[in-house]
Amino acid sequence: MKPKVAIVRGKFLNKYEMQTFEYLKGRYQLTAFGSLTSFHKSFSFPVKKLTSPMDLPEFPYKMQILNRLFIDAHYLYGLEDKLKGYDIAHTAETYYRYTQQSLDAKKKGFVHKVVVTVLENIAYNNEGIWGRKKYKHRTRQDADALIALTQMAKKSLIKEGADPKKIHVIGSGIDTEKFYPSKSKKSNYLTVLFVGRFEVYKGVFDVLYAAEQLVRSTYDLPLKFVFVGKGSQNRAMQDLVDRLGIRNSVHFLSVPYGKIPEVYRDADIFVAPSSDTKTWKEQYGYMLLEAQASGLPIVTTKSGSIPEVVGDAALLVNQRDQVALAQALHTFLTDNKKREKYGKMARLRAEKVHDSKIIAKKIAEVYDSVL
């Protein structure tokens, strides 16, 4: 009989991450545990939906209030009992409440082993709320295996006191059969694409200021800047576009995930100028995998784990340097051969390093090591 694996992700259950787990179905009996309002709800394996504080409608200071009431709001009502009979509960982050619930289930004998994926790459982060430091310590001690997405995440875990022998560095995966380069150019425009959250730390305003520089300095090129996503800065971005006078060159799209691969194939360059804050550094940048698999030349920054993710298959500029960002984009816009070279390098890296089949095999090795 196949070992039973519970993939516990609550509100954050999503198709981006789960595309890698699709390749584990033949080896394990998978069930995903999400909240009632998880990011995505339909997968090729069963999903159990449990009520969570995260399902509450948005209201002012929602997360601040919920995290103080629950220590962490990623709580799934009834999860412990639902894990009865599972061989592995695979959760995320050392301080998430459902990770503690999974460890409780293990203590009660409901589930045999607990594996935790860790994105956090800043040591001692997320410890300001009472109780979280204890949560993190318990996870480091009682989890059977820790999957760090990056070397930076591994170093943070070790600095906090995790046993290095428990840590396995395994990145995220991308379905290279779903995301692939365009075979022919569909538009006369040179399209620069941004996909992600519309937030300051994602560099969205840096892209707009760089766009303004490029539109004015390369007026002979048919440029188009496309933003796909949503976030708190949407209105401010729209206002800046008007103030900069680049409305004709900037487009905002809302696209269902199933159509996202087509958006990448319609683009010529991908840009992701993330910048660090006191409590956040880019943890992985899943959109970078999508861009790599789509064969796009990438301009990004040295934020957090980005250099690990892109390797030498991207142009890296300093954070919040709008001039350098514009110059790097200009290089790709005006040099077809360089654009083609970096696009091929990106695709090769996706195939050799980030392909979901490769990542799934590594996860299976961790599962087998704890069973």
Side-chain angles (χ1 to χ4, degrees), residues 37-327:
T37 60
S38 56
F39 288 169
H40 300 118
K41 299 175 176 61
S42 178
F43 303 91
S44 64
F45 41 81
V47 176
K48 293 187 178 181
K49 302 173 185 178
L50 302 178
T51 304
S52 169
M54 295 293 292
D55 295 325
L56 289 170
E58 292 300 318
F59 57 85
Y61 305 107
K62 173 183 174 179
M63 293 309 299
Q64 292 91 325
I65 294 172
L66 292 180
N67 282 334
R68 280 156 181 78
L69 286 174
F70 293 91
I71 302 180
D72 179 79
H74 292 280
Y75 179 82
L76 294 171
Y77 288 93
L79 176 64
E80 294 90 339
D81 286 337
K82 296 293 184 181
L83 289 177
K84 286 181 179 178
Y86 281 88
D87 297 289
I88 295 174
H90 186 167
T91 77
E93 297 297 11
T94 57
Y95 59 92
Y96 278 1
R97 185 68 179 271
Y98 58 62
T99 296
Q100 303 305 307
Q101 291 179 272
S102 298
L103 292 171
D104 289 340
K106 177 187 172 184
K107 188 175 181 179
K108 294 176 181 178
F110 294 170
V111 65
H112 295 298
K113 303 291 182 178
V114 176
V115 175
V116 185
T117 289
V118 179
L119 292 80
E120 181 57 68
N121 55 12
I122 302 176
Y124 311 112
N125 202 18
N126 290 296
E127 294 183 358
I129 295 173
W130 180 88
R132 279 196 176 178
K133 188 173 182 179
K134 184 178 179 180
Y135 277 6
K136 293 174 71 176
H137 175 77
R138 182 196 185 193
T139 302
R140 294 193 302 268
Q141 294 296 117
D142 295 350
D144 297 282
L146 300 167
I147 296 178
L149 280 193
T150 62
Q151 291 292 338
M152 183 176 284
K154 177 181 178 179
K155 290 177 181 177
S156 296
L157 282 168
I158 293 173
K159 190 172 183 179
E160 290 180 348
D163 182 354
K165 294 179 182 178
K166 281 188 178 182
I167 305 172
H168 308 261
V169 179
I170 304 174
S172 287
I174 184 69
D175 188 340
T176 57
E177 296 177 7
K178 182 182 298 182
F179 290 87
Y180 56 85
S182 174
K183 295 180 180 179
S184 61
K185 179 71 175 173
K186 297 180 181 179
S187 170
N188 292 326
Y189 282 96
L190 284 169
T191 301
V192 178
L193 175 66
F194 172 94
V195 177
R197 294 188 297 278
F198 294 169
E199 305 294 346
V200 174
Y201 58 84
K202 286 293 187 176
V204 290
F205 294 107
D206 295 329
V207 177
L208 289 176
Y209 282 114
E212 192 267 344
Q213 295 179 45
L214 291 165
V215 167
R216 300 198 185 287
S217 64
T218 56
Y219 56 87
D220 55 328
L221 291 177
L223 298 185
K224 182 165 64 174
F225 290 81
V226 175
F227 289 82
V228 178
K230 57 184 178 180
S232 67
Q233 299 303 307
N234 192 354
R235 183 68 263 169
M237 292 170 67
Q238 299 277 0
D239 292 342
L240 181 60
V241 167
D242 290 331
R243 291 202 305 274
L244 294 175
I246 54 175
R247 174 59 62 183
N248 291 337
S249 302
V250 178
H251 305 265
F252 294 88
L253 302 179
S254 178
V255 182
Y257 188 66
K259 298 290 185 180
I260 283 291
E262 298 175 24
V263 174
Y264 281 96
R265 286 193 286 274
D266 287 341
D268 297 282
I269 300 165
F270 187 77
V271 62
S274 299
S275 59
D276 301 347
T277 70
K278 289 182 179 180
T279 59
W280 181 87
K281 296 180 180 180
E282 189 67 69
Q283 295 174 334
Y284 208 82
Y286 198 84
M287 66 288 178
L288 293 167
L289 303 190
E290 295 172 344
Q292 285 180 46
S294 302
L296 292 181
I298 298 168
V299 177
T300 185
T301 53
K302 303 168 186 177
S303 171
S305 301
I306 286 179
E308 284 187 57
V309 176
V310 299
D312 61 356
L315 294 183
L316 289 161
V317 300
N318 291 327
Q319 300 174 37
R320 295 178 290 275
D321 189 336
Q322 296 161 6
V323 173
L325 181 64
Q327 290 173 342

